[in-house]
Amino acid sequence: TSATTHAPKEATKGMPGNTMLTQFELKMIADIGLVGFPNAGKSSILGAISHAKPKVAAYPFATLHPTIGRLQDVRGNTCDVADLPGLIEGAYENRGLGHQFLRHVERTHGIAFVLDMVEAFVPPDRTEPQQPWEVLDTLREELEYFLPGLSERGIMVLANKMDVTHDWRGNRTADVFAELQRRAGPDLPCFPVSATIGAAEGFRSARSGLPDAIRHMCDFVFARKAEARSARDRQRDQEAEELFRMFRDQNPQYFGKTAASVSAEYNVHYVTASRLNEDKRYDEPTSAVAADGRSRTHA
């Protein structure tokens, strides 16, 4: 075939092919996954910080499939954030979206816990909402029950709905946030944010609290990617060095000499070959055809 001939002029009957059933499983979908109870504001946060348009609704489990949003800086570095379906207590036992949800969490490199600072989701077996730090403990436990070590991927806490001054108990959300910070510890930084203000004024709004949270999130992702690039470069250098060592062992005649001696030896061979060609040119007779058509031979 060619650019003008799209069908072959000759063809033979093909042999019977093989048939198989293959299942592909996507292992990584995003750099950061937003994890939280239903109605915590995960979709609203993703819509405020990116151009993604996740479904936002007032009822639980509005998100049934992950939605990916991308953050990008001026240098071209990217950070993919996934809005994951809501998690409830007992998910490791396949309650709610259960294992389907937890498998999505497994496909992210880092986890940002999203907490509702006003009124957390109340499952059917409870009578009142949990405190934010209790929700955080529940989320960590569910992840750990499903896959040991999964909760250690947590890099931050997004305390959402901080634009509301009091929670459902009448406590000041600022005081509740301070207690959340104390219980979360220094290894898990907490950021007071408001997805509502971020959606209305933009993610750069200082009142939304999103700039600091995005900066921390991107710093983690960019540092991890830079480390991965460095590891790939080191591996490539090691492979190149190993190939060079194999070539040197298989071709010892090219090694063991200094660069000056190799260059001098090359120049000697080149000059000798040139002289031999010149001597051959002037010693051997050549044949030429004159203008009158007679063949003349000269030395």
Side-chain angles (χ1 to χ4, degrees):
T1 62
S2 65
T4 57
T5 305
H6 298 286
K9 295 180 179 180
E10 296 181 2
T12 58
K13 187 177 181 180
M15 300 295 291
N18 297 327
T19 303
M20 66 176 64
L21 180 62
T22 306
Q23 180 179 356
F24 294 93
E25 181 176 353
L26 183 64
K27 293 304 295 181
M28 286 296 166
I29 62 175
D31 299 306
I32 301 295
L34 302 180
V35 176
F37 275 10
N39 292 119
K42 302 180 296 296
S43 300
S44 300
I45 290 177
L46 182 64
I49 66 176
S50 70
H51 292 292
K53 303 298 181 184
K55 183 178 180 180
V56 178
Y59 53 86
F61 300 109
T63 302
L64 299 179
H65 304 284
T67 303
I68 310 297
R70 170 163 291 188
L71 307 178
Q72 183 172 353
D73 66 0
V74 294
R75 298 179 181 86
N77 299 314
T78 59
C79 173
D80 293 332
V81 184
D83 169 28
L84 302 177
L87 172 67
I88 63 172
E89 189 174 2
Y92 76 99
E93 298 176 341
N94 210 22
R95 293 182 57 188
L97 295 180
H99 295 169
Q100 179 182 354
F101 161 81
L102 292 168
R103 288 171 67 84
H104 292 320
V105 181
E106 188 182 359
R107 296 185 179 112
T108 60
H109 294 288
I111 297 173
F113 296 103
V114 181
L115 305 180
D116 188 339
M117 300 299 293
V118 178
E119 184 177 3
F121 171 76
V122 182
D125 57 347
R126 289 184 176 272
T127 58
E128 62 180 26
Q130 294 177 282
Q131 292 283 7
W133 48 87
E134 295 174 343
V135 175
L136 180 60
D137 292 339
T138 300
L139 295 174
R140 283 172 158 176
E141 290 174 359
E142 294 297 327
L143 298 179
E144 201 65 26
Y145 289 153
F146 176 74
L147 180 66
L150 185 58
S151 63
E152 297 177 2
R153 298 186 190 180
I155 64 168
M156 61 191 304
V157 174
L158 298 176
N160 193 26
K161 305 182 182 179
M162 288 297 293
D163 53 307
V164 182
T165 57
H166 294 79
D167 64 4
W168 71 280
R169 293 182 177 87
N171 299 323
R172 295 177 65 250
T173 52
D175 297 336
V176 177
F177 176 76
E179 181 65 18
L180 172 64
Q181 278 185 307
R182 187 185 68 82
R183 292 176 180 259
D187 296 333
L188 193 64
C190 301
F191 296 88
V193 300
S194 172
T196 302
I197 297 178
E201 301 180 3
F203 68 90
R204 293 185 177 86
S205 172
R207 293 202 312 129
S208 67
L210 292 173
D212 293 338
I214 294 175
R215 189 177 301 108
H216 177 81
M217 186 185 302
C218 291
D219 287 345
F220 167 81
V221 174
F222 296 163
R224 186 191 61 80
K225 290 185 175 181
E227 183 179 354
R229 284 194 298 268
S230 299
R232 288 195 299 267
D233 293 341
R234 289 193 299 268
Q235 181 179 1
R236 187 161 48 245
D237 294 342
Q238 292 175 0
E239 293 174 352
E241 184 178 354
E242 183 65 24
L243 289 174
F244 175 77
R245 189 180 300 111
M246 292 173 58
F247 178 80
R248 184 183 60 189
D249 295 341
Q250 296 174 2
N251 303 274
Q253 67 274 17
Y254 297 114
F255 300 90
K257 303 177 181 179
T258 63
S261 62
V262 172
S263 178
E265 183 178 352
Y266 171 78
N267 291 332
V268 169
H269 287 305
Y270 177 77
V271 171
T272 304
S274 300
R275 290 177 177 176
L276 289 175
N277 290 335
E278 290 179 358
D279 295 340
K280 184 177 180 181
R281 174 182 176 185
Y282 290 105
D283 291 342
E284 295 181 358
T286 59
S287 177
V289 179
D292 57 0
R294 297 179 183 180
S295 175
R296 297 178 181 178
T297 301
H298 61 83

